[in-house]
Short mmCIF file of all heavy atoms in Angstrom, two decimals:
data_model
loop_
_atom_site.label_atom_id
_atom_site.label_comp_id
_atom_site.label_asym_id
_atom_site.label_seq_id
_atom_site.Cartn_x
_atom_site.Cartn_y
_atom_site.Cartn_z
N ASN A 82 96.94 94.01 82.42
CA ASN A 82 96.88 95.47 82.35
C ASN A 82 98.25 96.10 82.17
O ASN A 82 98.48 97.26 82.53
CB ASN A 82 96.18 96.05 83.59
CG ASN A 82 97.05 95.99 84.84
OD1 ASN A 82 98.04 95.27 84.90
ND2 ASN A 82 96.66 96.75 85.86
N SER A 83 99.16 95.34 81.60
CA SER A 83 100.49 95.87 81.30
C SER A 83 100.39 97.08 80.38
O SER A 83 99.52 97.15 79.50
CB SER A 83 101.34 94.79 80.64
OG SER A 83 102.51 95.35 80.06
N SER A 84 101.30 98.01 80.55
CA SER A 84 101.35 99.16 79.65
C SER A 84 101.65 98.75 78.21
O SER A 84 101.41 99.51 77.28
CB SER A 84 102.40 100.16 80.13
OG SER A 84 102.04 100.69 81.39
N GLN A 85 102.19 97.55 78.03
CA GLN A 85 102.42 97.05 76.68
C GLN A 85 101.11 97.01 75.90
O GLN A 85 101.06 97.35 74.72
CB GLN A 85 103.03 95.66 76.73
CG GLN A 85 103.49 95.11 75.37
CD GLN A 85 104.80 95.73 74.93
OE1 GLN A 85 105.76 95.74 75.68
NE2 GLN A 85 104.86 96.22 73.70
N VAL A 86 100.03 96.62 76.56
CA VAL A 86 98.72 96.54 75.92
C VAL A 86 98.27 97.93 75.48
O VAL A 86 97.80 98.12 74.36
CB VAL A 86 97.68 95.91 76.88
CG1 VAL A 86 96.30 95.90 76.24
CG2 VAL A 86 98.10 94.50 77.26
N TYR A 87 98.43 98.91 76.38
CA TYR A 87 98.04 100.29 76.05
C TYR A 87 98.82 100.79 74.84
O TYR A 87 98.24 101.32 73.87
CB TYR A 87 98.28 101.20 77.25
CG TYR A 87 98.10 102.67 76.91
CD1 TYR A 87 96.84 103.25 76.90
CD2 TYR A 87 99.20 103.47 76.58
CE1 TYR A 87 96.67 104.58 76.57
CE2 TYR A 87 99.04 104.80 76.25
CZ TYR A 87 97.77 105.35 76.25
OH TYR A 87 97.61 106.69 75.91
N TRP A 88 100.13 100.64 74.86
CA TRP A 88 100.96 101.17 73.78
C TRP A 88 100.73 100.43 72.47
O TRP A 88 100.76 101.04 71.39
CB TRP A 88 102.43 101.12 74.18
CG TRP A 88 102.83 102.20 75.14
CD1 TRP A 88 103.19 102.05 76.44
CD2 TRP A 88 102.88 103.61 74.87
NE1 TRP A 88 103.46 103.27 77.01
CE2 TRP A 88 103.28 104.24 76.07
CE3 TRP A 88 102.63 104.39 73.75
CZ2 TRP A 88 103.44 105.63 76.17
CZ3 TRP A 88 102.79 105.77 73.85
CH2 TRP A 88 103.19 106.38 75.04
N ASP A 89 100.51 99.13 72.54
CA ASP A 89 100.22 98.37 71.32
C ASP A 89 98.97 98.92 70.62
O ASP A 89 98.94 99.12 69.41
CB ASP A 89 100.02 96.89 71.64
CG ASP A 89 101.32 96.15 71.90
OD1 ASP A 89 102.38 96.77 71.76
OD2 ASP A 89 101.25 94.97 72.27
N GLU A 90 97.92 99.14 71.41
CA GLU A 90 96.68 99.65 70.83
C GLU A 90 96.86 101.06 70.30
O GLU A 90 96.35 101.42 69.23
CB GLU A 90 95.57 99.62 71.89
CG GLU A 90 95.16 98.20 72.29
CD GLU A 90 94.11 98.18 73.37
OE1 GLU A 90 93.78 99.28 73.91
OE2 GLU A 90 93.61 97.09 73.69
N LEU A 91 97.60 101.88 71.03
CA LEU A 91 97.83 103.25 70.59
C LEU A 91 98.65 103.28 69.30
O LEU A 91 98.33 104.03 68.36
CB LEU A 91 98.57 104.03 71.69
CG LEU A 91 98.62 105.54 71.52
CD1 LEU A 91 97.24 106.15 71.78
CD2 LEU A 91 99.64 106.16 72.48
N ALA A 92 99.68 102.46 69.25
CA ALA A 92 100.52 102.42 68.05
C ALA A 92 99.73 101.92 66.84
O ALA A 92 99.87 102.46 65.74
CB ALA A 92 101.73 101.52 68.30
N THR A 93 98.91 100.93 67.03
CA THR A 93 98.10 100.40 65.94
C THR A 93 97.15 101.47 65.39
O THR A 93 96.98 101.62 64.18
CB THR A 93 97.31 99.17 66.40
OG1 THR A 93 98.23 98.15 66.80
CG2 THR A 93 96.42 98.64 65.30
N ALA A 94 96.53 102.21 66.31
CA ALA A 94 95.62 103.27 65.89
C ALA A 94 96.36 104.36 65.13
O ALA A 94 95.87 104.88 64.12
CB ALA A 94 94.93 103.87 67.12
N TYR A 95 97.56 104.70 65.58
CA TYR A 95 98.34 105.73 64.89
C TYR A 95 98.80 105.25 63.51
O TYR A 95 98.71 105.98 62.52
CB TYR A 95 99.56 106.12 65.73
CG TYR A 95 100.42 107.16 65.06
CD1 TYR A 95 100.05 108.49 65.03
CD2 TYR A 95 101.62 106.79 64.43
CE1 TYR A 95 100.83 109.44 64.40
CE2 TYR A 95 102.40 107.73 63.80
CZ TYR A 95 102.01 109.06 63.79
OH TYR A 95 102.79 110.00 63.15
N GLU A 96 99.28 104.03 63.43
CA GLU A 96 99.77 103.49 62.16
C GLU A 96 98.67 103.38 61.12
O GLU A 96 98.92 103.54 59.91
CB GLU A 96 100.41 102.12 62.40
CG GLU A 96 101.71 102.19 63.19
CD GLU A 96 102.18 100.85 63.69
OE1 GLU A 96 101.43 99.86 63.56
OE2 GLU A 96 103.31 100.79 64.21
N ALA A 97 97.44 103.16 61.58
CA ALA A 97 96.32 103.07 60.64
C ALA A 97 96.11 104.38 59.89
O ALA A 97 95.69 104.40 58.74
CB ALA A 97 95.05 102.69 61.38
#
Side-chain angles (χ1 to χ4, degrees):
N82 74 343
S83 166
S84 295
Q85 188 77 51
V86 177
Y87 171 83
W88 283 111
D89 284 356
E90 293 178 353
L91 193 72
T93 298
Y95 179 77
E96 291 167 352

